[in-house]
Amino acid sequence: SAAANAATASNAAVTFSCTGNAWPTLKAVGVMDASTAGNLMYYTPITNRNVAAGSTLTFATGTITLTIT
């Protein structure tokens, strides 16, 4: 059966650590179906972010929302 409209938001902060070299400018975030070599299921553009070597990128609780329609 078809899924009903639904939305969910992150219930904790999501943090990525940049070890090694700085990352290229981030322009989108996505949801994959596996932690490595997975398929991109959803993505959305974000305000460009630069992440320096040794720093972290954190999305605060509730700022990542996934809506299925």
Side-chain angles (χ1 to χ4, degrees):
S1 65
N5 291 348
T8 188
S10 56
N11 61 3
V14 178
T15 300
F16 300 93
S17 297
C18 180
T19 58
N21 296 327
W23 293 347
T25 300
L26 302 179
K27 297 181 180 199
V29 295
V31 175
M32 307 288 286
D33 63 359
S35 59
T36 59
N39 299 297
L40 179 62
M41 306 299 290
Y42 310 98
Y43 76 95
T44 190
I46 61 171
T47 301
N48 288 358
R49 304 269 180 107
N50 294 308
V51 183
S55 64
T56 59
L57 172 65
T58 300
F59 295 92
T61 301
T63 59
I64 299 174
T65 303
L66 178 64
T67 303
I68 299 173
T69 56

